[in-house]
Amino acid sequence: MRSVGIIGHPVAHSLSPLFQNAAFAHLGLDIQYQAWDTPEDALADRVASLRAPGTLGANVTIPHKEAVIPLLDEPADDALRIGAVNTIVNREGRLFGYNTDGPGFVRALQEANFEPRGRRVLLLGAGGAARGIAFALAEAGSRVAIWNRTAARAARLVEDVSALRPVAEVADTPAVLGYDCIVNCTSVGMEGTGTEAVSPAVFSDATPGTLAVDIVYKPAETAFLRAAAEAGLPTLGGLPMLIHQGALAFELWTGVPAPVAVMTAAAEEALAKEAGR
Ligand code: ATR
């Protein structure tokens, strides 16, 4: 039995163990995905434990995505640029760090038949999630405008992306006119934040056909997605991105294509059960 797990605090409500274990079981792989609740003072020991033979690596989530970087042997360049690692791979005792959040987001867009090349995308937010998505979209050939409540953070992200590709600019307002895709990368609307009824964008003057994407997956339909749907726009929730960042991590650990449909079904079933409770 080999193991892999998620390092975070708290991790009890993470969907990753569920859908990753469903994928391992589906392919008959003798691997168990565990929930490794790790307070800050235990992080260094937890990461060191990943070097053991039989441990494939880990996912990393809130609040440790930045703090794990100096504990790794080989963080990838894009993870360093983003400033966050969400996937660790143990290769013969050496720890490699990756960030699959942005590439997972791009895969989710493509699965929804939105090809990012040449498209104008507005990101709302400039936190860790927005950083991964901004770099991945820039690499996929989009033009990216970034609005953030705290303007300095948006300016910093634009500067960082522009150093790699000159395709990013600051948006002074969250106005949605003139974009092909609007992405909510803020935590506004997320269950448990007290902002569940708030949409960070108003869609009344959106260009018809603009795709509205929320990276929040709990609740499945956020106020942002509801407002977009009411304005007649196509929408995409946060679950496909969650699944695809996990699928890319799965592929890094195992070298085997991830059974995305199996993972999605397991996650949807768990979310439906939770929502019905
Ligand atoms: P994550 O890693 O999930 O992106 P984060 O780094 O804490 O988390 O970023 C949260 C994002 O949500 C930020 O863009 C934050 O804006 P600020 O940089 O101004 O803090 C945004 N955010 C959180 N609450 C918000 C609110 N009530 N209104 C607007 N933006 C909000």
Side-chain angles (χ1 to χ4, degrees), residues 62 65-66 84 101 124-132 146-154 184-190 193 195 198 200 215:
I62 292 168
K65 286 187 184 185
E66 294 169 26
D101 285 332
L124 307 175
R131 288 188 68 84
I146 300 163
W147 172 84
N148 195 50
R149 177 179 62 179
T150 308
R153 231 177 159 190
N184 176 33
C185 305
T186 74
S187 50
V188 175
M190 193 187 290
T193 59
T195 59
V198 182
I215 67 164

